[in-house]
Amino acid sequence: TLHPFIFYFGRCGAMRIMMADQGQEWKEILMDFADWTKGDLKASCVSGEWIIILLKCYFYFHLTQTHTDAYGKDGKEAARIDMMCDGVEDLRLKYGKMIYQEYDTGKDQYIKDLPNHLDKFEAVMAKNKTGFLVGDKPSFADYSLFEVLLNHLVLCSSCLDTSPSLKSFVEKMSARPKIKAFLGSDAYKKLPINGNGKQ
């Protein structure tokens, strides 16, 4: 069994959920900002996107070999998964900017505008009719979206009330036995949602 390492720098929530769902084990290396800036790992990263690259490589080289099809069944699906993952990252960046820079002054407006940020995911999910963004199995884009939506539900518990397909998606993902067990574990519950304590 492959035991991947997680170098933690803010974007590993989706990877934890993904690996729990796939029955994989992992070892975490927790890295704070000071270690990141003084270490050699940062210099080896491409545009700071090392975690996303690791996520894709892990899916492509390992999970696809075990027939999970988490990076799509063909090149067309893989391209769509990449596109959706980029869209999730855009949402994550908007959320992060609000949490870390505009929480006190911008939270209410962010929540008000949130349906506009979610509508493209809602449309894709509704059109696909499988309960996932691409194909009929969860891809790494689904895990990434799921984790971001969990954070948003902490921010505003009613934020998906106008997005029925996304609400159903979160319920479906949360009910997957291994994800349900992980989300109920102490290992998950003790993790902070954001590094500054805002949520």
Side-chain angles (χ1 to χ4, degrees):
T1 302
L2 178 65
H3 300 287
F5 288 78
I6 293 181
F7 294 87
Y8 179 67
F9 192 62
R11 282 177 170 76
C12 290
M15 183 175 256
R16 291 189 188 98
I17 292 169
M18 170 198 76
M19 290 196 292
D21 191 39
Q22 299 296 334
Q24 302 295 307
E25 296 179 15
W26 67 88
K27 178 179 180 179
E28 295 199 26
I29 298 175
L30 303 179
M31 180 175 293
D32 62 23
F33 188 75
D35 290 335
W36 170 257
T37 55
K38 71 182 180 182
D40 296 330
L41 181 60
K42 182 179 180 182
S44 70
C45 298
V46 180
S47 301
E49 297 172 345
W50 191 80
I51 291 296
I52 300 299
I53 292 169
L54 174 62
L55 183 62
K56 292 181 181 181
C57 288
Y58 179 70
F59 264 123
Y60 186 77
F61 291 114
H62 180 64
L63 293 184
T64 54
Q65 295 176 15
T66 59
H67 308 294
T68 59
D69 296 326
Y71 202 10
K73 64 184 180 184
D74 54 33
K76 184 177 180 180
E77 283 198 356
R80 291 172 60 204
I81 289 167
D82 277 337
M83 180 180 70
M84 295 313 302
C85 192
D86 288 343
V88 175
E89 186 63 11
D90 288 343
L91 176 60
R92 190 190 302 275
L93 290 173
K94 289 182 178 76
Y95 170 80
K97 181 180 179 183
M98 181 276 295
I99 287 290
Y100 288 97
Q101 299 177 24
E102 303 169 351
Y103 186 84
D104 294 328
T105 60
K107 176 183 175 181
D108 291 343
Q109 187 62 46
Y110 180 87
I111 292 172
K112 183 178 179 180
D113 293 341
L114 190 56
N116 295 326
H117 302 321
L118 297 178
D119 60 0
K120 60 185 175 183
F121 300 108
E122 173 68 17
V124 169
M125 199 75 72
K127 183 178 180 180
N128 195 30
K129 300 185 185 302
T130 65
F132 302 110
L133 290 169
V134 180
D136 58 1
K137 296 179 181 179
S139 70
F140 67 82
D142 290 296
Y143 292 110
S144 188
L145 177 61
F146 175 60
E147 190 257 345
V148 169
L149 292 179
L150 288 180
N151 292 347
H152 279 82
L153 285 168
V154 173
L155 180 73
C156 175
S157 61
S158 62
C159 71
L160 298 182
D161 287 355
T162 59
S163 304
S165 294
L166 290 179
K167 189 172 185 177
S168 176
F169 165 74
V170 169
E171 292 170 352
K172 180 177 181 177
M173 291 290 283
S174 298
R176 290 172 70 88
K178 292 177 183 177
I179 291 181
K180 183 177 181 180
F182 177 64
L183 295 182
S185 70
D186 290 339
Y188 176 79
K189 291 179 180 178
K190 72 180 182 181
L191 294 169
I193 295 177
N194 299 297
N196 64 355
K198 305 291 187 181
Q199 57 186 43

